[in-house]
Amino acid sequence: MGHKEGSLVSLQFRLVSERKFNRMQRSTSREVQRRLSELWEAFNQKEKSVRQLLKRCDNVNRPVMH
């Protein structure tokens, strides 16, 4: 990585840590992240077992066939 790229990474890191920079994310990725977060929260609240969590996570990441 050159000096220019290194400076850019440092700037992005600082902006993210200061919550002034939002990374771009596709809507499908955002939806998968939302669903995984909901499942994780349900697991933390003891609403789902480890087996249920893993099975649901597998379903979330599976491609949709039309």
Side-chain angles (χ1 to χ4, degrees):
M1 180 181 321
H3 177 71
K4 185 177 179 180
E5 292 87 359
S7 297
L8 182 58
V9 169
S10 295
L11 173 63
Q12 288 175 341
F13 180 78
R14 186 172 51 88
L15 291 173
V16 168
S17 65
E18 294 173 3
R19 299 184 186 272
K20 294 179 181 175
F21 181 80
N22 294 321
R23 68 184 175 95
M24 299 299 290
Q25 189 176 37
R26 293 178 188 248
S27 61
T28 52
S29 298
R30 200 170 33 247
E31 178 62 18
V32 166
Q33 183 64 41
R34 183 191 64 76
R35 292 172 65 195
L36 290 173
S37 294
E38 287 176 357
L39 289 168
W40 188 252
E41 183 60 27
F43 172 72
N44 282 333
Q45 297 296 320
K46 310 283 192 256
E47 297 168 4
K48 299 249 182 273
S49 67
V50 171
R51 180 182 293 254
Q52 291 170 321
L53 173 68
L54 293 175
K55 186 169 179 70
R56 296 281 171 84
C57 286
D58 181 47
N59 290 336
V60 167
N61 285 313
R62 211 168 267 188
V64 176
M65 306 301 266
H66 295 283

